[in-house]
Amino acid sequence: MEAGPRDTEQDAPDALHDAGSLSPDGPDELETTPEVEVELRPARRLRIWQLAPIVMLAAVGSLMFAFPLAFEFGDGGAVVAMLGLLISCCAAGWGMMAARRVGYTWPGLPQRGSGERSDWRVIALYAAVCAALVALAIWRVARLR
């Protein structure tokens, strides 16, 4: 036995014949097994560290909005109430953006990237509810004066 490299073409003369059965894009698929798609990424959900600051801001903002309106602290009550309303709205917007990033949508609106158009009646309903809430908040703060 020699200690040199082996000549594989002499040892396996059928190797060239097997290579002839390959197609340019891979082996022929005579024996195929059904493929199963498995999602490797975990499901996108809002985690507690994402929700905690949003909930805390909303709680602080709603308390700042509710207490001056309920107990009328004096001249500064309207300013504190409007600041609380602003903080609550910021927390709500932050929560909506986080939920949208994860893939959640408002009821009645299509998923992001689905290609579907949203119904104008649903959008009009959401706009009317938001406008009514803002009008009620401004009216209540204006009554404090």
Side-chain angles (χ1 to χ4, degrees):
M1 231 176 14
E2 296 180 8
R6 294 186 180 163
D7 190 4
T8 56
E9 290 183 18
Q10 291 177 355
D11 291 341
D14 297 335
L16 293 176
H17 299 295
D18 288 340
S21 67
L22 293 177
S23 64
D25 58 345
D28 293 334
E29 297 195 22
L30 299 176
E31 299 175 19
T32 60
T33 58
E35 294 181 9
V36 177
E37 288 188 29
V38 177
E39 183 68 33
L40 297 177
R41 294 178 292 169
R44 297 181 74 179
R45 282 178 266 165
L46 286 174
R47 305 283 190 247
I48 189 69
W49 61 269
Q50 293 170 317
L51 286 176
I54 297 169
V55 170
M56 292 303 296
L57 267 179
V60 167
S62 63
L63 288 176
M64 285 177 67
F65 181 64
F67 273 98
L69 296 179
F71 300 113
E72 296 187 28
F73 287 142
D75 293 340
V79 174
V80 174
M82 288 306 288
L83 182 62
L85 181 64
L86 178 68
I87 291 173
S88 295
C89 290
C90 288
W94 190 9
M96 285 188 297
M97 291 308 295
R100 183 172 171 87
R101 182 165 234 180
V102 171
Y104 297 142
T105 61
W106 284 82
L109 297 179
Q111 285 284 345
R112 185 177 182 183
S114 67
E116 297 178 30
R117 292 186 55 125
S118 54
D119 190 14
W120 66 270
R121 293 172 289 204
V122 174
I123 294 173
L125 177 68
Y126 284 135
V129 168
C130 289
L133 289 175
V134 168
L136 286 173
I138 292 172
W139 175 67
R140 179 64 177 120
V141 171
R143 278 191 41 208
L144 288 176
R145 295 227 169 233

